Amino acid sequence: MAGNWKMFKTAAETRTFFEAFRPLAAAAEHCEIVICPPFPNLAAAVESAHGGRIQIGAQNLYWEKEGAFTGEVSGPMIRAAGATHVIVGHSERRQYFNETDETVLKRTVAALEAGLTPIVCVGERLEHREAGQTKTVLFQQCREGIARLEERKFSRIVIAYEPVWAIGTGKTATPEIAADAHGVIRGEMRARYGEGAAENVRILYGGSVKPDNVKSLMAQPEIDGVLVGGASLDAKSFAAIVNFTS
Ligand code: PGA
């Protein structure tokens, strides 16, 4: 269960969140919990998590380890800050910051080299879905991205299916639509890496996940977890999501 805070919260607000969230999430032993704050708050989040079971992730990274790349942050820097995960290729990065399948792949490899678990995002836009191109887009993003990883690297990633039309819009994909897309992605991974690897890879659903729809999404065997934006900003609502009971 991963929370993507996007460009929200200061360091002080991060500490306040964790104080409220830690006790509420203490009993959620059925899942891994990752929270991804903005870069300047990674240290505050790591500290506030107190080495407990809540893991911290960044929202992006650059593929070089260091150098003259003003404004960028590398995998080793994120790792050194105490984070364990990093989101890669989020649709907002693809849409507003010119991320391509190629740069997503470079970031994924860099994350793995730094010892981070990349949460690699794929997903179609509304016009693709309306034109019946969802599968084609997912195939393309998988083939040009994660399917190019060596097998041993593939086993260390998490995939997030995030239909762009469902992000921040309040329009959740129905559990069936989401599960269908997860099946497409898993099928592509099965063809590339074989049955075992495809079964083991975790595919999260993201896009307007809320406390009141998490249960029906998680009831789908294809959906292994969720990547939550807006509803992860509030300690009670994210706790209600991680504490869902099947
Ligand atoms: P949302 O965002 O839950 O606010 O729709 C999801 C995401 O972009 O990861």
Side-chain angles (χ1 to χ4, degrees):
M1 315 301 265
N4 171 14
W5 281 1
K6 309 195 179 183
M7 199 173 73
F8 289 98
K9 292 196 195 291
T10 61
E13 288 164 343
T14 300
R15 290 191 192 95
T16 306
F17 173 93
F18 274 89
E19 258 163 52
F21 182 71
R22 264 190 298 118
L24 295 175
E29 281 174 1
H30 58 282
C31 63
E32 278 183 60
I33 304 170
V34 184
I35 292 181
C36 305
F39 288 133
N41 306 334
L42 283 177
V46 168
E47 236 173 75
S48 308
H50 288 318
R53 48 183 306 276
I54 305 168
Q55 303 177 85
I56 306 302
Q59 297 173 18
N60 187 27
L61 81 165
Y62 192 59
W63 52 82
E64 295 292 346
K65 290 191 179 70
E66 59 181 12
F69 303 103
T70 302
E72 295 298 321
V73 175
S74 73
M77 291 170 185
I78 294 168
R79 190 72 194 97
T84 50
H85 290 67
V86 59
I87 300 171
V88 176
H90 188 278
S91 67
E92 284 151 18
R93 305 255 7 130
R94 292 180 188 254
Q95 216 173 335
Y96 308 135
F97 303 98
N98 303 323
E99 287 275 353
T100 61
D101 292 331
E102 195 192 336
T103 60
V104 171
L105 180 61
K106 283 174 134 174
R107 289 177 210 276
T108 305
V109 171
L112 290 166
E113 275 169 9
L116 295 162
T117 300
I119 302 174
V120 188
C121 305
V122 295
E124 80 287 0
R125 293 206 296 269
L126 183 61
E127 66 263 31
H128 297 137
R129 181 156 285 273
E130 285 177 348
Q133 293 169 346
T134 299
K135 283 189 185 169
T136 317
V137 170
L138 293 177
F139 281 150
Q140 151 94 12
Q141 289 175 344
C142 289
R143 279 188 196 151
E144 300 299 319
I146 38 191
R148 295 192 172 206
L149 291 170
E150 293 161 35
E151 201 166 335
R152 67 187 172 84
K153 289 190 175 156
F154 174 74
S155 66
R156 293 175 44 212
I157 71 165
V158 173
I159 301 172
Y161 167 63
E162 298 217 314
V164 180
W165 49 270
I167 296 177
T169 59
K171 288 185 197 161
T172 325
T174 62
E176 293 72 25
I177 290 180
D180 198 47
H182 283 217
V184 169
I185 296 164
R186 211 181 292 279
E188 191 60 18
M189 296 304 113
R190 189 174 290 117
R192 166 70 178 84
Y193 296 105
E195 186 66 37
E199 284 313 307
N200 286 338
V201 70
R202 280 172 296 170
I203 308 182
L204 314 182
Y205 167 76
S208 298
V209 176
K210 308 280 179 229
D212 60 4
N213 60 22
V214 63
K215 191 171 163 179
S216 58
L217 288 161
M218 290 301 295
Q220 295 286 335
E222 271 293 353
I223 300 180
D224 303 314
V226 287
L227 178 53
V228 187
S232 72
L233 291 168
D234 176 73
K236 278 198 190 129
S237 105
F238 194 45
I241 290 174
V242 303
N243 288 320
F244 86 96
T245 41
S246 49

